[in-house]
Amino acid sequence: MDDDRERLKRLLVRYALKNSKRILASGQISSYFIEVRRVTLSSLGTFLIGNVFLEKIRELELRPKAVGGTESAMAIAVATSRASYDLPLDERIDVYAIRRQPDKAFFGDQGCLVDGFQQKDSVLVLEDVTTTGMFTVKTVQKVRAAGLKVKAVVSLVDREEGAAGIVKNYCPFYPIFRASELFECKEGLGQGFEYNESNESLMTGEVL
């Protein structure tokens, strides 16, 4: 599985890591941006994300009933669930979703939860990128308000700007990658590498 993690890291560096000034969802201005949907919504990215997240979950012995979160986490959650299909039936992982606003017309104030899970089911909150952690904390609170037990947050990339410290006040926090790790990978590969999709190899004149 280390090979899958390395391949995923290189995909993120090649396609998602952008040196451009952006205003983040947190309101902060950053000199770089991680456009993870270019990876999470690709066929190869979905395959690798599912394997890597599932391996992390099993390594930590979290054993959730389901994984999910808000809209940005759905591609990751579905990939993780699909990767779990080959496990024994009692170890497979389902998917839940959380609405940004409650559907009060049908479910009242607790209508943020999408799907029919039992109260106290153990779940994970997944994230694509975490920055300050405040949005993640709100998601954790919504999931708990819906009656589910949040065992941990697992994030694809932590920008290392406070999320780890904030989220840990509410539940364990586990990033797959840290932003510094992606920048180290980028420096190691050099500026001129290209991704060859036909053989899924990073190219710098020779296969790495």
Side-chain angles (χ1 to χ4, degrees):
M1 203 58 64
D2 287 344
D3 288 344
D4 283 346
R5 187 180 186 279
E6 184 65 21
R7 291 164 69 197
L8 178 57
K9 178 169 65 176
R10 293 183 177 197
L11 273 183
L12 288 167
V13 169
R14 173 64 180 89
Y15 289 115
L17 187 59
K18 305 296 179 184
N19 288 318
S20 62
K21 185 177 291 187
R22 295 288 185 93
I23 299 177
L24 305 176
S26 64
Q28 296 180 342
I29 299 176
S30 174
S31 61
Y32 73 95
F33 182 67
I34 306 175
E35 194 174 356
V36 292
R37 291 186 183 184
R38 298 192 66 189
V39 174
T40 61
L41 298 181
S42 70
S43 57
L44 177 57
T46 297
F47 171 77
L48 295 174
I49 284 170
N51 289 345
V52 171
F53 267 76
L54 181 61
E55 180 67 17
K56 185 72 170 180
I57 290 168
R58 299 190 77 195
E59 172 191 323
L60 296 169
E61 299 182 349
L62 295 174
R63 298 184 66 86
K65 168 66 177 176
V67 293
T70 54
E71 292 94 331
S72 64
M74 284 302 96
I76 296 174
V78 171
T80 303
S81 177
R82 173 61 186 88
S84 75
Y85 181 77
D86 294 327
L87 297 178
L89 185 60
D90 64 346
E91 295 183 37
R92 293 178 188 173
I93 302 171
D94 294 326
V95 177
Y96 73 91
I98 290 291
R99 299 181 179 92
R100 288 184 180 273
Q101 299 295 330
D103 188 347
K104 294 185 178 182
F106 292 96
F107 302 105
D109 291 334
Q110 299 304 314
C112 283
L113 181 66
V114 180
D115 223 314
F117 292 95
Q118 301 296 316
Q119 288 197 354
K120 304 304 179 183
D121 276 345
S122 294
V123 302
L124 303 180
V125 169
L126 304 187
E127 287 280 22
D128 51 5
V129 178
T130 46
T131 305
T132 65
M134 296 306 299
F135 182 75
T136 303
V137 167
K138 290 180 180 178
T139 302
V140 170
Q141 291 172 333
K142 283 184 177 181
V143 176
R144 286 178 172 165
L148 302 181
K149 178 182 178 182
V150 178
K151 300 191 76 172
V153 170
V154 184
S155 176
L156 178 58
V157 182
D158 177 24
R159 288 178 55 100
E160 301 174 279
E161 296 180 29
I166 294 293
V167 177
K168 284 181 178 178
N169 291 324
Y170 295 83
C171 65
F173 174 75
Y174 304 105
I176 301 295
F177 300 105
R178 293 179 173 83
S180 58
E181 185 178 357
L182 300 186
F183 279 105
E184 288 172 5
C185 178
K186 183 174 183 178
E187 291 175 3
L189 293 169
Q191 298 297 318
F193 75 86
E194 295 181 357
Y195 195 86
N196 185 325
E197 295 185 26
S198 64
N199 60 13
E200 301 177 3
S201 298
L202 287 169
M203 307 295 289
T204 56
E206 62 182 10
V207 179
L208 296 178

